[in-house]
Amino acid sequence: MNRIRKGDHVVVITGKNKGQRGDVLRVDGDRVVVSNVNVVKRHTKPNPQANQPGGIVEREAAIHISNVQLFNSAQNKGERVATKTLEDGRKVRVFVSGEVVDA
């Protein structure tokens, strides 16, 4: 079970984007793409077949999954995540403080 999933609200804990928060757009193995974090400028050629103009495009680049933590809105900070098996057999993610992430 992954600790970080698509749609999670995360905070960056290290690197040039430390302290920034955003939602996970995509998880690719050990890398994640977070909205409005690690924005890079990409020089693209025009592609008439895809109806895409050329120019400088800003988009989010991937960052390593170890550089983000799940954001705990109750404590207003990033927190570590563990997995726990409930009595009915479901596996859920829980914050280390004990609060359940998945309902």
Side-chain angles (χ1 to χ4, degrees), residues 43-62:
H43 296 257
T44 59
K45 283 186 172 181
N47 186 352
Q49 293 175 340
N51 200 15
Q52 177 183 9
I56 301 173
V57 179
E58 288 191 353
R59 66 175 191 171
E60 295 93 356

Side-chain angles (χ1 to χ4, degrees), residues 75-86:
Q75 295 189 357
N76 202 25
K77 64 178 183 176
E79 195 170 350
R80 291 179 297 162
V81 177
T83 57
K84 183 178 180 181
T85 305
L86 299 177

Side-chain angles (χ1 to χ4, degrees), residues 11-15 17-21:
V11 60
V12 180
I13 57 172
T14 187
N17 299 300
K18 181 177 181 178
Q20 293 184 359
R21 297 189 307 206

Side-chain angles (χ1 to χ4, degrees), residues 3 72 75 79-82 93-99 101:
R3 296 169 194 260
N72 187 351
Q75 295 189 357
E79 195 170 350
R80 291 179 297 162
V81 177
R93 297 179 298 166
V94 294
F95 287 115
V96 174
S97 63
E99 303 168 38
V101 177

Side-chain angles (χ1 to χ4, degrees), residues 13-76:
I13 57 172
T14 187
K16 68 177 184 177
N17 299 300
K18 181 177 181 178
Q20 293 184 359
R21 297 189 307 206
D23 294 324
V24 176
L25 301 175
R26 184 168 78 241
V27 178
D28 296 324
D30 62 347
R31 301 190 73 79
V32 293
V33 177
V34 183
S35 62
N36 298 322
V37 174
N38 197 23
V39 177
V40 296
K41 291 187 178 190
R42 176 102 171 107
H43 296 257
T44 59
K45 283 186 172 181
N47 186 352
Q49 293 175 340
N51 200 15
Q52 177 183 9
I56 301 173
V57 179
E58 288 191 353
R59 66 175 191 171
E60 295 93 356
I63 56 177
H64 200 268
I65 200 165
S66 67
N67 295 338
V68 298
Q69 274 187 336
L70 204 56
F71 185 73
N72 187 351
S73 58
Q75 295 189 357
N76 202 25

